[in-house]
């Protein structure tokens, strides 16, 4: 209900028939909605959107009103096939056999009528346009994702991965242990974690929901950059500038350099933690004054008037306030700066600066410069077209470098609005801490913090790698822990928005989990966030979870569909992953198929043998 207050504004008061998702997630009660003054328009929008939304997500008439009877039957058939394990596990072999048997043209027509038509929006931007327009009519916006990837055997994938790893480059443990602060065992474990291992060279293994790029040379990376820019153009044309384009950093450069950059970040963090010697607080909260630093040097017998020691401290005290915190290390990655010069540690014993990354060849330095330049090319092209960019998350051994590059782009391009979004994976134990560190930096420097929050795509692969190599499993122990982490991250972002003010923070909740979506919707209502403010929006994959996407869009919430597109033959690996994903999430696939069947039966019972998709009123 709306309560008028003396100043003429309105305050939103929650009257819920049941406890909100936020309340259900913890033993605490829902915070009262009496602290945020609202104008009439925003308050009415919040209540109208909330009242129009059926949070059970079981209203099949609303959920599937955009689908014809033929599309309902196709969806039912596709999800039914995904229940047969033999078909799912051998889907690529079956598809290849069909292609050889039917011929290219007939095979293409068959796929467009079945799996391709259900999961893929079209072959090119011209085919995608009608899908984008139809989604838009029902309140659903689009994220275009060019889903072409190489169909490689495991052996071919291993060979290409090993080609993409820089053999001459090594982040030496001696450089970090010579500081006298970090013990050799810690440094060695970090090195192993961020090194290439032959048994995990095929990064597609034990994961099926994320696209994988394999390094084939600098020219291929240039082509990937051009494809991303073409995707941006397609988004601009198809959505009128309100859409997103998704990119993967591993498509834009040699992955081995990302490994070395990630290890350098991790080793530098080891050095910083040892230097601050504070184990009772999180890394992002630790601080070191210049006097503390001098005292630390004295303890190790280093001359405190060492010019290099002074220069080192000043180089990481980026705001010159006389103290060092971990945010200063965020500035170690700078455009037009050589990779070999970015990470240096102070050798406590000698007082000299030593580089972490050694023996870089001139070709490797050039390759790193190319990777940074390609990434910025895509970002700048997108901004010039009014399109926002989401940097996808990848494996944890690449992620420190990827996140650092995403944060640097946010610092550069998010001064006016949220042009760049970084991705955080809630199944990681470190998800909230990483997000906290980045949000603090954004607040400190005054740029827009944009986040996409996902559950994560590499769980089995990450756990096997951690066990085999011998480091702590980075994944939360179970599904419930991941759900709690997701809710904590959403709540923390809402707190940051309330602290900094609207327009400075935004998050995309990319989730197929209905409880998570309910939590987010109730959080928006509790914090008085109108959907039109775009503080919190939603996203799901095309062809999946329509019972969530369309009710949200039709109720007025900001919701997106990930629209894969590309030539039929070239998106077969993507279709294979979708089949595997639905097969592994059998309960969810059964539930969605049951809703589709329910709606088809309702239409037949109502005499709608021929169903005409309605055109929503504007």
């Amino acid at each position: 209900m709306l309560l008028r207050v003396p100043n003429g504004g309105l305050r939103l008061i929650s009257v819920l028939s049941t406890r909100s998702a936020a309340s259900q997630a913890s033993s605490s009660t829902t915070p009262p909605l009496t602290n945020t003054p609202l104008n009439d328009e925003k308050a009415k929008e919040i209540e109208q959107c909330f009242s129009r939304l059926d949070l059970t997500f079981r209203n099949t008439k609303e959920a599937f009103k955009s689908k014809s009877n033929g599309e309902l039957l196709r969806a039912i058939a596709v999800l039914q096939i995904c229940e047969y394990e033999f078909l799912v596990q051998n889907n690529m072999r079956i598809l290849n056999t069909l292609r050889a048997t039917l011929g290219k043209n007939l095979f293409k027509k068959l796929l467009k009528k079945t799996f391709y038509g259900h999961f893929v929006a079209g072959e090119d931007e011209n085919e995608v346009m009608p899908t984008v327009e139809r989604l838009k009519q029902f309140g659903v916006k689009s994220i275009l994702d060019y889903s072409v990837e190489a169909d490689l055997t495991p052996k071919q994938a291993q060979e290409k991965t090993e080609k993409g790893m820089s053999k001459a480059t090594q982040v030496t443990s001696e450089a970090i242990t010579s500081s006298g602060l970090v013990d050799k065992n810690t440094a060695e474990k970090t090195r192993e974690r961020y090194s290439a291992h032959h048994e995990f060279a095929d990064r597609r293994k034990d994961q099926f929901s994320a696209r994988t790029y394999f390094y084939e040379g600098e020219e291929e990376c240039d082509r990937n950059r051009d494809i991303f820019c073409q995707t941006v153009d397609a988004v601009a044309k198809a959505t009128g500038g309100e859409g997103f384009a998704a990119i993967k950093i591993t498509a834009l450069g040699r992955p081995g350099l990302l490994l070395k950059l990630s290890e350098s970040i991790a080793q530098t963090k080891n050095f910083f933690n040892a230097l601050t010697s504070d184990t009772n607080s999180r890394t992002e909260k630790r601080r070191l004054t210049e006097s503390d630093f001098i005292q630390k040097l004295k303890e190790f017998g280093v001359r405190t008037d060492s010019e290099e020691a002074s220069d080192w401290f000043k180089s990481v005290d980026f705001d010159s306030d006389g103290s060092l915190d971990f945010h200063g290390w965020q500035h170690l990655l700078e455009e037009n700066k050589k990779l070999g010069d970015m990470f240096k540690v102070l050798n406590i014993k000698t007082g000299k600066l030593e580089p972490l990354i050694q023996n870089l060849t001139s070709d490797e330095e050039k390759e790193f410069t190319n990777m940074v330049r390609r990434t910025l090319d895509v970002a700048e092209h997108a901004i010039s077209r009014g399109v926002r960019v989401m940097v996808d998350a990848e494996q944890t051994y690449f992620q420190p470098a990827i996140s650092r590059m995403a944060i640097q782009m946010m610092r550069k391009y998010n001064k006016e609005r949220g042009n760049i979004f970084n991705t955080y994976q809630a199944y990681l134990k470190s998800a909230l801490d990483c997000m906290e560190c980045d949000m603090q930096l954004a607040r400190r420097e005054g740029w827009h913090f944009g986040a996409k929050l996902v559950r994560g795509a590499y769980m089995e692969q990450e756990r096997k790698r951690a066990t085999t190599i011998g480091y702590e499993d980075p994944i939360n122990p179970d599904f419930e822990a991941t759900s709690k982490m997701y809710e904590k991250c959403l709540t923390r972002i809402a707190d940051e928005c309330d602290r900094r003010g609207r327009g400075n923070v935004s998050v995309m909740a990319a989730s197929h989990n209905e409880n998570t979506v309910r939590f987010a919707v109730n959080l928006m209502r509790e914090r008085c966030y109108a959907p039109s403010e775009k503080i919190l929006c939603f996203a799901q994959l095309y062809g999946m979870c329509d019972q969530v996407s369309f009710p949200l869009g039709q109720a007025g919430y900001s919701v997106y569909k990930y629209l894969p597109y590309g030539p039929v033959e070239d998106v077969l690996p993507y279709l294979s992953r979708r089949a595997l994903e639905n097969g592994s999430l059998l309960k969810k696939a059964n539930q969605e198929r049951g809703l589709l069947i329910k709606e088809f039966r309702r239409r037949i019972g109502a005499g709608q043998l021929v169903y005409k998709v309605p055109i929503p009123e504007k």
Side-chain angles (χ1 to χ4, degrees):
M1 60 181 278
L2 302 176
L3 178 66
R4 191 166 298 279
V5 293
N7 64 5
L10 297 174
R11 296 183 189 272
L12 192 62
I13 307 298
S14 175
V15 181
L16 299 178
S17 59
T18 59
R19 289 190 306 160
S20 72
S23 302
Q24 293 169 353
S26 66
S27 59
S28 61
T29 58
T30 302
L33 307 182
T34 56
N35 298 323
T36 306
L38 297 172
N39 59 41
D40 289 19
E41 184 178 345
K42 285 284 168 49
K44 288 178 181 177
E45 178 190 344
I46 293 169
E47 283 302 281
Q48 286 173 359
C49 290
F50 190 84
S51 64
R52 286 199 298 260
L53 180 62
D54 180 0
L55 280 175
T56 67
F57 299 118
R58 293 298 176 269
N59 187 335
T60 60
K61 183 178 179 180
E62 289 299 309
F64 304 120
K65 67 162 53 174
S66 67
K67 291 184 181 294
S68 67
N69 286 347
E71 288 171 324
L72 283 180
L73 289 173
R74 180 179 67 189
I76 292 167
V78 167
L79 295 178
Q80 178 68 62
I81 290 172
C82 289
E83 288 191 29
Y84 297 108
E85 185 174 354
F86 175 81
L87 297 179
V88 169
Q89 294 301 323
N90 295 279
N91 69 82
M92 282 303 293
R93 187 182 304 171
I94 293 169
L95 288 172
N96 289 332
T97 301
L98 283 172
R99 178 169 45 190
T101 304
L102 298 175
K104 184 176 180 180
N105 291 333
L106 192 55
F107 175 73
K108 181 176 177 180
K109 289 180 180 179
L110 175 64
L111 275 190
K112 282 201 168 186
K113 292 292 185 182
T114 54
F115 279 87
Y116 182 96
H118 183 70
F119 289 120
V120 184
E123 294 201 61
D124 53 37
E125 63 181 71
N126 292 325
E127 282 195 16
V128 169
M129 280 289 290
T131 301
V132 172
E133 287 298 323
R134 184 168 65 160
L135 292 177
K136 190 175 181 179
Q137 288 179 338
F138 291 90
V140 178
K141 292 170 280 191
S142 300
I143 304 166
L144 266 61
D145 188 13
Y146 190 69
S147 296
V148 170
E149 59 185 85
D151 184 12
L152 304 174
T153 66
K155 183 178 180 180
Q156 289 172 328
Q158 286 183 338
E159 290 173 352
K160 289 185 181 295
T161 294
E162 288 167 359
K163 177 183 176 183
M165 298 303 168
S166 304
K167 294 183 179 179
T169 304
Q170 183 177 4
V171 180
T172 60
S173 58
E174 289 80 6
I176 192 74
T177 56
S178 66
S179 66
L181 287 170
V182 180
D183 67 271
K184 188 172 183 178
N185 184 51
T186 298
E188 281 293 330
K189 282 187 174 181
T190 302
R191 184 183 65 80
E192 281 294 308
R193 179 171 182 173
Y194 295 99
S195 294
H197 294 268
H198 178 77
E199 59 267 47
F200 298 100
D202 186 353
R203 305 199 309 275
R204 305 166 305 176
K205 191 176 180 181
D206 296 318
Q207 72 87 13
F208 43 72
S209 60
R211 186 168 70 259
T212 303
Y213 288 92
F214 293 95
Y215 183 77
E216 297 187 41
E218 293 298 289
E219 290 184 2
E220 181 68 18
C221 293
D222 285 339
R223 283 193 291 271
N224 290 336
R225 175 202 56 201
D226 295 342
I227 288 170
F228 287 148
C229 288
Q230 290 165 13
T231 300
V232 166
D233 292 335
V235 172
K237 180 180 178 181
T239 70
E242 67 177 5
F244 283 85
I247 68 169
K248 280 185 176 288
I249 301 297
T250 50
L252 299 173
R254 184 186 288 275
L257 295 174
L258 291 174
L259 274 182
K260 299 311 170 187
L261 180 55
S262 289
E263 186 193 343
S264 296
I265 293 168
Q267 296 285 22
T268 306
K269 187 174 182 179
N270 289 338
F271 182 74
F272 176 80
N273 287 342
L275 198 60
T276 54
S277 301
D278 181 3
T279 59
N280 296 319
S281 63
R282 295 201 303 262
T283 298
E284 69 271 8
K285 292 188 175 181
R286 299 178 188 176
R287 296 181 69 82
L288 182 74
T289 65
E290 190 166 5
S291 60
D292 292 334
F293 177 63
I294 291 173
Q295 181 59 39
K296 180 71 69 173
L297 295 184
K298 287 181 178 178
E299 291 173 7
F300 282 86
V302 179
R303 287 175 36 228
T304 56
D305 59 348
S306 164
E307 184 176 345
E308 288 198 72
S310 177
D311 289 345
W312 179 85
F313 190 90
K314 290 176 181 177
S315 71
V316 289
D317 179 17
F318 75 96
D319 55 3
S320 303
D321 66 350
S323 64
L324 169 64
D325 60 26
F326 196 68
H327 298 299
W329 300 74
Q330 300 282 1
H331 287 248
L332 291 175
L333 176 61
E334 298 290 350
E335 188 181 356
N336 300 322
K337 190 173 183 180
K338 288 185 176 181
L339 181 59
D341 294 334
M342 285 183 187
F343 292 89
K344 292 183 179 180
V345 292
L346 181 68
N347 189 322
I348 297 295
K349 295 178 180 178
T350 65
K352 302 291 185 181
L353 291 175
E354 296 184 4
L356 277 177
I357 303 179
Q358 300 179 354
N359 304 320
L360 272 173
T361 66
S362 59
D363 284 344
E364 287 173 325
E365 283 286 10
K366 184 178 180 180
E367 287 169 357
F368 178 74
T369 300
N370 290 343
M371 179 169 60
V372 173
R373 186 64 255 167
R374 291 184 195 107
T375 306
L376 298 183
D377 284 346
V378 176
E380 289 170 2
H381 182 69
I383 292 168
S384 72
R385 300 300 308 273
V387 173
R388 288 167 289 177
V389 172
M390 289 189 302
V391 180
D392 282 346
E394 304 192 45
Q395 288 91 344
T396 54
Y397 44 91
F398 290 135
Q399 198 53 42
I402 291 169
S403 284
R404 185 65 61 87
M405 293 179 75
I407 292 303
Q408 286 298 112
M409 286 196 291
M410 279 203 264
R411 291 179 62 231
K412 185 178 181 71
Y413 302 118
N414 280 13
K415 294 176 182 177
E416 301 298 328
R417 74 162 192 163
N419 288 310
I420 309 295
F421 280 53
N422 192 21
T423 301
Y424 299 87
Q425 301 178 98
Y427 72 178
L428 295 178
K429 297 172 183 176
S430 61
L432 185 58
D433 288 347
C434 290
M435 179 180 286
E436 179 73 44
C437 192
D438 295 343
M439 281 194 298
Q440 287 187 23
L441 183 64
R443 184 197 319 145
R444 186 168 178 171
E445 296 187 337
W447 39 266
H448 185 105
F449 177 75
K452 181 179 75 169
L453 188 59
V454 301
R455 296 187 88 84
Y458 308 97
M459 183 175 72
E460 290 185 32
Q461 184 186 105
E462 292 280 10
R463 283 189 162 150
K464 285 183 180 179
R465 192 176 190 272
T467 300
T468 302
I469 297 172
Y471 57 87
E472 182 185 354
D473 182 357
I475 308 296
N476 286 319
D478 51 41
F479 182 87
E480 289 71 24
T482 293
S483 294
K484 288 180 181 178
M485 177 65 77
Y486 203 117
E487 293 171 1
K488 287 178 182 177
C489 288
L490 284 177
T491 302
R492 180 63 191 87
I493 290 172
D495 291 342
E496 187 70 8
C497 180
D498 292 344
R499 174 172 180 169
R500 291 189 62 189
R502 306 185 183 201
N504 293 305
V505 178
S506 54
V507 59
M508 174 176 285
S511 176
H512 291 176
N513 185 276
E514 293 176 1
N515 288 331
T516 297
V517 174
R518 276 190 280 270
F519 178 91
V521 168
N522 279 295
L523 181 65
M524 288 179 67
R525 191 173 188 236
E526 291 166 6
R527 300 300 179 97
C528 303
Y529 298 158
S532 62
E533 293 179 286
K534 299 180 180 178
I535 296 168
L536 196 161
C537 58
F538 303 87
Q540 289 87 34
L541 286 168
Y542 183 65
M544 297 175 67
C545 212
D546 286 350
Q547 77 274 15
V548 171
S549 306
F550 284 91
L552 283 170
Q554 289 158 180
Y557 290 88
S558 185
V559 59
Y560 293 80
K561 278 288 192 184
Y562 252 87
L563 296 188
Y565 74 101
V568 174
E569 292 278 341
D570 296 332
V571 298
L572 290 183
Y574 175 85
L575 291 174
S576 175
R577 289 201 313 274
R578 292 285 74 80
L580 287 166
E581 182 170 18
N582 279 288
S584 70
L585 302 175
L586 188 57
K587 184 177 179 181
K588 183 181 290 185
N590 277 335
Q591 181 185 86
E592 195 163 339
R593 185 170 59 87
L595 293 173
L596 289 160
I597 292 172
K598 177 183 175 183
E599 173 57 15
F600 185 73
R601 288 174 174 169
R602 185 199 67 78
R603 291 182 187 178
I604 298 303
Q608 294 176 311
L609 299 178
V610 178
Y611 176 79
K612 186 178 180 180
V613 176
I615 299 176
E617 296 180 5
K618 294 187 178 181

